[in-house]
Amino acid sequence: MPSSDLPTLRIIKADQLPASCFEPVDPQAREQALAMIEDVKANKEDGLLKHAWRLGDLPSGDRKYTVTRDELRAAFEAAEPSLQGLLERVAARVRTFAEAQRASITTVSTEIEGGAAGQQVVPVSSAGCYAPGGRYPLPSSVIMTAVTARAAGVGRVVVSSPRPSPVTLAAAYVAGADLLLAVGGAHAVAALAYGLGDALAPVDLICGPGNKWVTAAKSIVSGFCGIDMLAGPSEVLVIADASADPQVVAADLLAQAEHDVEARPILVTPDAAVIASVNRALQSQLETLTTSEVAIPAVQKGFAVL
């Protein structure tokens, strides 16, 4: 497709911004997720496998849905040394910051009239770390959740990711995961929250991003199991003036646009010339972007505020 036919960011004024209030959970996704959760609660492993087979997480009839710590180690050792080093460096950076965060929140007690008041900082015993496995492997999600859980002092860390790639398995090993569930979606959230009997103990908290069914499932189990937040589609807002490099701005916008057709890239600038140059850069980069089939619909949903 010629670059001139590729989409650009539409231009709006600040007073044209819609006063939208997005519902965090899609109603239809919630209804579907609830049915899957109830199935897993009632039928444990059989319920989980039914949906894993139906949705393509596992080949039909395959009952192996867990990856052990030893198997994660084998995946890491099979990786190229350059990839091993990259994963270890990224994990070390995340761990350094997570440990600093943890150190900034301390147990404290102080005397007050009539007694004492204070707080205790105690990690949860177990955490389920969700990493999407849709269009692309996301070892970054594994590392940012599981490494942080370990730094917080969590005793048992379970990663869940459907159709995990070798790099996802290697990242789970580096991040310190005890186990990986090779399933995703609402049925995986249910397995983490309620357990699978002897096959899997429930976790205390579920964290990590996911699609609208994962978000709906997290909202449903949140009264029983802790969650981090209800994540929506990827969004990015870049504020730029004439000093900004339009190629860099365009690359930043596309880095989020390629995540999901529902992603929303937004540019804010006081200079119409900046919008024009960024739009030209967007079209040029979209022409060769391997993920353009995902990024193009997202760019069409985005806009520039002048």
Side-chain angles (χ1 to χ4, degrees), residues 122-128 149-150 152-158 178 201-205:
V122 181
V124 297
S125 296
S126 55
R150 285 299 192 201
V154 175
R156 182 171 66 97
V157 176
V158 180
D178 296 298
V203 300
D204 298 318
L205 182 141

Side-chain angles (χ1 to χ4, degrees), residues 173 186 195 283:
Y173 173 73
Q283 289 181 316

Side-chain angles (χ1 to χ4, degrees), residues 5 41 55 71 77 83 89 120 141 178 183 187 210 237 297:
D5 294 336
K41 283 177 66 177
L55 297 170
E71 290 170 321
E77 292 173 347
L83 178 59
R89 288 194 300 275
Q120 285 190 317
S141 292
D178 296 298
V183 293
H187 48 305
L237 184 144

Side-chain angles (χ1 to χ4, degrees), residues 91-282:
R93 293 175 65 179
V94 172
R95 187 177 300 109
T96 297
F97 181 69
E99 289 174 347
Q101 279 187 303
R102 174 62 183 82
S104 72
I105 308 170
T106 61
T107 296
V108 64
S109 178
T110 184
E111 296 297 322
I112 61 172
E113 185 177 353
Q119 66 178 16
Q120 285 190 317
V121 181
V122 181
V124 297
S125 296
S126 55
C129 301
Y130 192 92
R135 294 181 179 88
Y136 325 105
L138 289 175
S140 55
S141 292
V142 175
I143 289 173
M144 287 188 286
T145 54
V147 167
T148 304
R150 285 299 192 201
V154 175
R156 182 171 66 97
V157 176
V158 180
V159 169
S160 176
S161 188
R163 300 174 296 282
S165 66
V167 68
T168 299
L169 299 175
Y173 173 73
V174 170
D178 296 298
L179 184 75
L180 183 139
L181 296 183
V183 293
H187 48 305
V189 173
L192 291 170
Y194 300 106
L196 299 172
D198 294 338
L200 178 72
V203 300
D204 298 318
L205 182 141
I206 299 171
C207 60
N211 60 23
K212 61 183 179 180
W213 291 278
V214 170
T215 298
K218 286 169 70 176
S219 75
I220 293 167
V221 305
S222 62
F224 183 84
C225 172
I227 67 168
D228 52 350
M229 61 180 291
L230 300 177
S234 293
E235 295 177 329
V236 61
L237 184 144
V238 177
I239 302 173
D241 60 16
S243 67
D245 183 338
Q247 293 293 336
V248 174
V249 174
D252 280 341
L253 293 169
L254 290 176
Q256 293 302 313
E258 69 177 1
H259 276 206
D260 190 336
V261 295
E262 297 298 328
R264 185 166 299 186
I266 302 167
L267 171 65
V268 176
T269 179
D271 191 337
V274 170
I275 299 175
S277 60
V278 168
N279 273 334
R280 286 193 296 269
L282 281 172

